[in-house]
Amino acid sequence: MTIDEIQDEIISEFSLLEGDMEMTIFYIMELGQKLPEMNAVDKTEDNIVKGCQSKVWLTASTEDEKVHFAADSNTAITKGLVSLLIRIFNGQTPEAILSADLYFMHKIGMERFIGTQRSNGFAAMIKQMKLYALAFKTKMEVKR
């Protein structure tokens, strides 16, 4: 699936909650619970996303020129938020990640249920994922 197709799928899922704040937050926390377990050895200071109020660990690797992310957080909501980004970006090419226009947040009204601090942290997660993609893109170009 493309990044836009995945975003549209997320928008569709959230629309079923009809803007119910409590249900939406519960759903985000549930998504975080489904995030694959991150290796404990990767939960280092170097892998912490800077700019997040909560602790968020994020790693990335490539396989067949596609980027794969792993993440965890010490809070349920933040873990759910990072799981959405992983769902969107996992298995995509560095170019697709770098050129992605993330619109799902506005469509699901995310600003209504996460505060300014979490919004800043969410932006930091996106920035870190795009930095990984840029590094992998550069590395791939050097190999060619």
Coordinates of all heavy atoms in Angstrom, one line a residue, residues 33-79:
Q33 N -0.6 -0.9 22.0 CA -0.4 -2.3 22.6 C -0.1 -3.3 21.5 O 0.5 -4.3 21.8 CB -1.7 -2.7 23.3 CG -1.9 -1.9 24.6 CD -3.3 -2.2 25.2 OE1 -4.1 -2.9 24.6 NE2 -3.5 -1.7 26.4
K34 N -0.5 -3.0 20.3 CA -0.3 -4.0 19.2 C 1.1 -3.8 18.5 O 1.4 -4.6 17.6 CB -1.4 -3.8 18.1 CG -2.8 -4.2 18.6 CD -3.8 -4.0 17.6 CE -5.2 -4.3 18.2 NZ -6.3 -3.9 17.3
L35 N 1.8 -2.7 18.9 CA 3.1 -2.5 18.3 C 4.0 -3.6 18.7 O 4.1 -4.0 19.9 CB 3.6 -1.1 18.9 CG 4.8 -0.5 18.2 CD1 4.5 -0.1 16.8 CD2 5.3 0.7 19.0
P36 N 4.8 -4.1 17.7 CA 5.7 -5.2 18.1 C 6.7 -4.8 19.1 O 7.1 -3.6 19.1 CB 6.4 -5.5 16.7 CG 5.5 -5.0 15.7 CD 4.7 -3.8 16.3
E37 N 7.1 -5.7 20.0 CA 8.0 -5.4 21.1 C 9.3 -5.0 20.5 O 9.9 -5.6 19.6 CB 8.2 -6.7 21.9 CG 8.9 -6.5 23.2 CD 8.0 -5.7 24.2 OE1 6.8 -5.8 24.2 OE2 8.6 -5.0 25.0
M38 N 9.9 -3.9 21.1 CA 11.2 -3.4 20.7 C 12.2 -4.1 21.5 O 12.0 -4.4 22.7 CB 11.3 -1.9 20.9 CG 12.5 -1.3 20.4 SD 12.5 0.5 20.7 CE 13.6 1.0 19.5
N39 N 13.4 -4.5 20.8 CA 14.5 -5.1 21.5 C 15.0 -4.2 22.7 O 15.2 -3.0 22.5 CB 15.6 -5.4 20.6 CG 15.3 -6.5 19.6 OD1 14.5 -7.4 19.9 ND2 15.9 -6.4 18.4
A40 N 15.1 -4.8 23.8 CA 15.6 -4.0 25.0 C 16.9 -3.4 24.8 O 17.2 -2.2 25.2 CB 15.6 -4.9 26.2
V41 N 17.8 -4.0 24.0 CA 19.1 -3.4 23.7 C 19.0 -2.2 22.9 O 20.0 -1.4 22.9 CB 20.1 -4.5 23.0 CG1 20.4 -5.6 23.9 CG2 19.5 -4.9 21.7
D42 N 17.9 -1.9 22.2 CA 17.7 -0.7 21.4 C 17.2 0.4 22.2 O 17.1 1.6 21.7 CB 16.8 -1.0 20.2 CG 17.5 -1.9 19.2 OD1 18.7 -1.8 19.0 OD2 16.7 -2.7 18.5
K43 N 16.8 0.2 23.4 CA 16.2 1.3 24.3 C 17.4 2.0 25.0 O 17.6 1.9 26.2 CB 15.2 0.7 25.3 CG 14.0 0.2 24.6 CD 13.0 -0.2 25.7 CE 11.7 -0.8 25.1 NZ 10.8 -1.3 26.1
T44 N 18.2 2.7 24.1 CA 19.3 3.4 24.6 C 19.1 4.9 24.5 O 18.2 5.4 23.8 CB 20.6 3.1 23.8 OG1 20.4 3.5 22.5 CG2 20.9 1.6 23.9
E45 N 19.9 5.7 25.2 CA 19.8 7.2 25.1 C 20.0 7.6 23.6 O 19.3 8.6 23.2 CB 21.0 7.8 26.0 CG 20.8 9.2 26.3 CD 19.6 9.5 27.2 OE1 19.2 8.7 28.0 OE2 19.0 10.6 27.0
D46 N 20.8 7.0 22.8 CA 21.0 7.4 21.5 C 19.8 7.2 20.6 O 19.6 7.9 19.6 CB 22.1 6.5 20.8 CG 23.5 6.8 21.3 OD1 23.7 7.9 21.9 OD2 24.4 6.0 21.1
N47 N 18.9 6.3 21.0 CA 17.7 6.1 20.2 C 16.4 6.8 20.7 O 15.3 6.7 20.2 CB 17.4 4.6 20.1 CG 18.4 3.8 19.3 OD1 19.0 4.4 18.4 ND2 18.7 2.6 19.7
I48 N 16.6 7.7 21.7 CA 15.5 8.5 22.2 C 15.2 9.7 21.2 O 16.2 10.3 20.8 CB 15.8 9.0 23.6 CG1 15.7 7.8 24.6 CG2 14.8 10.1 24.0 CD1 15.9 8.2 26.0
V49 N 14.0 9.9 20.9 CA 13.6 11.0 20.0 C 13.6 12.2 20.8 O 12.9 12.4 21.8 CB 12.1 10.7 19.4 CG1 11.7 11.9 18.6 CG2 12.1 9.5 18.6
K50 N 14.4 13.2 20.4 CA 14.6 14.5 21.1 C 13.3 15.3 20.8 O 12.9 15.3 19.7 CB 15.8 15.2 20.6 CG 17.1 14.4 20.6 CD 17.5 13.9 22.0 CE 18.8 13.2 21.9 NZ 18.7 11.7 22.0
G51 N 12.8 16.0 21.8 CA 11.7 16.9 21.6 C 10.4 16.2 22.1 O 9.3 16.9 22.0
C52 N 10.4 15.0 22.6 CA 9.2 14.4 23.1 C 9.2 14.5 24.6 O 10.3 14.3 25.3 CB 9.2 12.9 22.7 SG 8.8 12.6 21.0
Q53 N 8.1 14.8 25.2 CA 7.9 14.9 26.6 C 8.1 13.5 27.2 O 8.7 13.3 28.2 CB 6.6 15.5 27.0 CG 6.5 15.9 28.5 CD 5.2 16.6 28.8 OE1 4.3 16.7 28.0 NE2 5.2 17.2 29.9
S54 N 7.4 12.5 26.6 CA 7.5 11.1 27.0 C 8.8 10.6 26.4 O 9.4 11.1 25.5 CB 6.4 10.3 26.5 OG 5.1 10.9 26.8
K55 N 9.2 9.4 26.9 CA 10.4 8.8 26.3 C 9.9 8.0 25.1 O 8.9 7.2 25.2 CB 11.1 7.8 27.3 CG 12.0 8.5 28.2 CD 12.9 7.6 28.9 CE 13.8 8.5 29.7 NZ 14.6 7.7 30.6
V56 N 10.5 8.2 23.9 CA 10.2 7.5 22.7 C 11.5 7.0 22.1 O 12.4 7.8 21.9 CB 9.5 8.3 21.7 CG1 9.2 7.5 20.4 CG2 8.1 8.8 22.2
W57 N 11.6 5.7 22.0 CA 12.8 5.1 21.4 C 12.4 4.7 20.0 O 11.4 4.2 19.7 CB 13.2 3.8 22.1 CG 13.7 4.1 23.5 CD1 14.9 4.4 24.0 CD2 12.9 4.0 24.7 NE1 14.9 4.5 25.3 CE2 13.7 4.3 25.8 CE3 11.5 3.7 24.9 CZ2 13.2 4.3 27.1 CZ3 11.0 3.7 26.2 CH2 11.9 4.0 27.3
L58 N 13.3 5.0 19.0 CA 13.0 4.8 17.6 C 14.3 4.3 16.9 O 15.4 4.9 17.1 CB 12.5 6.1 16.9 CG 12.2 6.0 15.5 CD1 11.0 5.1 15.2 CD2 12.0 7.4 14.9
T59 N 14.2 3.2 16.2 CA 15.3 2.7 15.4 C 14.8 2.5 14.0 O 13.6 2.3 13.8 CB 15.9 1.4 15.9 OG1 14.9 0.4 15.9 CG2 16.5 1.6 17.3
A60 N 15.7 2.4 13.1 CA 15.4 2.1 11.7 C 16.4 1.3 11.0 O 17.6 1.3 11.4 CB 15.2 3.4 10.9
S61 N 16.0 0.5 10.1 CA 16.9 -0.4 9.3 C 16.4 -0.4 7.9 O 15.2 0.0 7.6 CB 17.0 -1.8 9.9 OG 15.8 -2.4 9.9
T62 N 17.1 -1.0 6.9 CA 16.6 -1.2 5.6 C 16.8 -2.6 5.2 O 17.7 -3.3 5.6 CB 17.4 -0.3 4.5 OG1 18.8 -0.6 4.6 CG2 17.1 1.2 4.7
E63 N 15.9 -3.0 4.3 CA 15.9 -4.3 3.7 C 15.3 -4.2 2.3 O 14.2 -3.6 2.2 CB 15.1 -5.3 4.6 CG 15.3 -6.7 4.1 CD 14.5 -7.7 5.0 OE1 14.5 -7.6 6.2 OE2 13.8 -8.6 4.4
D64 N 16.0 -4.6 1.3 CA 15.5 -4.5 -0.1 C 15.1 -3.0 -0.4 O 14.1 -2.8 -1.0 CB 14.3 -5.4 -0.4 CG 14.7 -6.9 -0.2 OD1 15.8 -7.2 -0.5 OD2 13.8 -7.6 0.3
E65 N 15.9 -2.1 0.1 CA 15.7 -0.7 -0.2 C 14.4 -0.1 0.4 O 13.9 0.9 0.0 CB 15.9 -0.3 -1.6 CG 17.3 -0.6 -2.1 CD 17.7 0.0 -3.5 OE1 16.8 0.7 -4.1 OE2 18.9 -0.1 -3.8
K66 N 13.9 -0.8 1.4 CA 12.7 -0.3 2.1 C 13.1 -0.1 3.6 O 13.9 -0.8 4.1 CB 11.6 -1.4 2.1 CG 11.2 -1.8 0.7 CD 10.1 -1.0 0.1 CE 9.5 -1.7 -1.1 NZ 9.3 -1.0 -2.2
V67 N 12.5 0.9 4.2 CA 12.8 1.3 5.5 C 11.9 0.6 6.5 O 10.7 0.5 6.3 CB 12.7 2.8 5.8 CG1 13.2 3.2 7.2 CG2 13.6 3.5 4.7
H68 N 12.5 0.1 7.6 CA 11.7 -0.6 8.6 C 12.0 0.0 10.0 O 13.2 0.2 10.3 CB 12.0 -2.1 8.7 CG 11.6 -2.8 7.4 ND1 10.4 -3.2 7.1 CD2 12.4 -3.0 6.3 CE1 10.4 -3.7 5.9 NE2 11.6 -3.6 5.3
F69 N 11.0 0.4 10.7 CA 11.1 1.1 12.0 C 10.7 0.2 13.1 O 9.9 -0.7 13.0 CB 10.2 2.3 12.0 CG 10.7 3.4 11.0 CD1 10.0 3.5 9.8 CD2 11.7 4.3 11.3 CE1 10.4 4.5 8.9 CE2 12.1 5.3 10.4 CZ 11.4 5.4 9.2
A70 N 11.3 0.4 14.3 CA 10.9 -0.2 15.5 C 10.8 1.0 16.5 O 11.7 1.9 16.5 CB 11.9 -1.2 16.0
A71 N 9.9 0.9 17.4 CA 9.7 2.0 18.4 C 9.0 1.5 19.7 O 8.4 0.4 19.7 CB 8.9 3.1 17.8
D72 N 9.2 2.3 20.7 CA 8.5 2.0 22.0 C 8.4 3.4 22.7 O 9.1 4.3 22.4 CB 9.2 1.0 22.8 CG 8.3 0.4 23.9 OD1 7.2 0.7 24.0 OD2 8.8 -0.5 24.6
S73 N 7.5 3.4 23.7 CA 7.4 4.6 24.5 C 7.0 4.2 25.9 O 6.5 3.1 26.1 CB 6.3 5.5 24.0 OG 6.2 6.6 24.8
N74 N 7.3 5.1 26.9 CA 7.0 4.8 28.2 C 5.5 5.2 28.6 O 5.1 5.1 29.7 CB 8.0 5.4 29.2 CG 8.0 6.9 29.1 OD1 7.5 7.5 28.2 ND2 8.5 7.6 30.2
T75 N 4.8 5.8 27.6 CA 3.4 6.1 27.9 C 2.5 5.5 26.8 O 2.9 5.4 25.6 CB 3.1 7.7 27.9 OG1 3.4 8.2 26.6 CG2 4.0 8.3 28.9
A76 N 1.3 5.1 27.2 CA 0.4 4.4 26.3 C 0.0 5.2 25.1 O -0.1 4.7 23.9 CB -0.8 3.9 27.1
I77 N -0.4 6.4 25.3 CA -0.9 7.3 24.2 C 0.3 7.5 23.2 O 0.1 7.4 22.0 CB -1.5 8.6 24.7 CG1 -2.8 8.3 25.5 CG2 -1.8 9.6 23.6 CD1 -3.4 9.5 26.2
T78 N 1.4 7.9 23.7 CA 2.6 8.2 22.8 C 2.9 6.9 22.0 O 3.3 7.0 20.8 CB 3.8 8.7 23.6 OG1 3.3 9.9 24.4 CG2 4.9 9.1 22.7
K79 N 2.9 5.8 22.7 CA 3.2 4.5 22.0 C 2.2 4.3 20.8 O 2.5 3.8 19.8 CB 3.2 3.4 23.0 CG 3.7 2.1 22.4 CD 3.8 1.0 23.5 CE 4.3 -0.3 23.0 NZ 4.6 -1.3 24.0

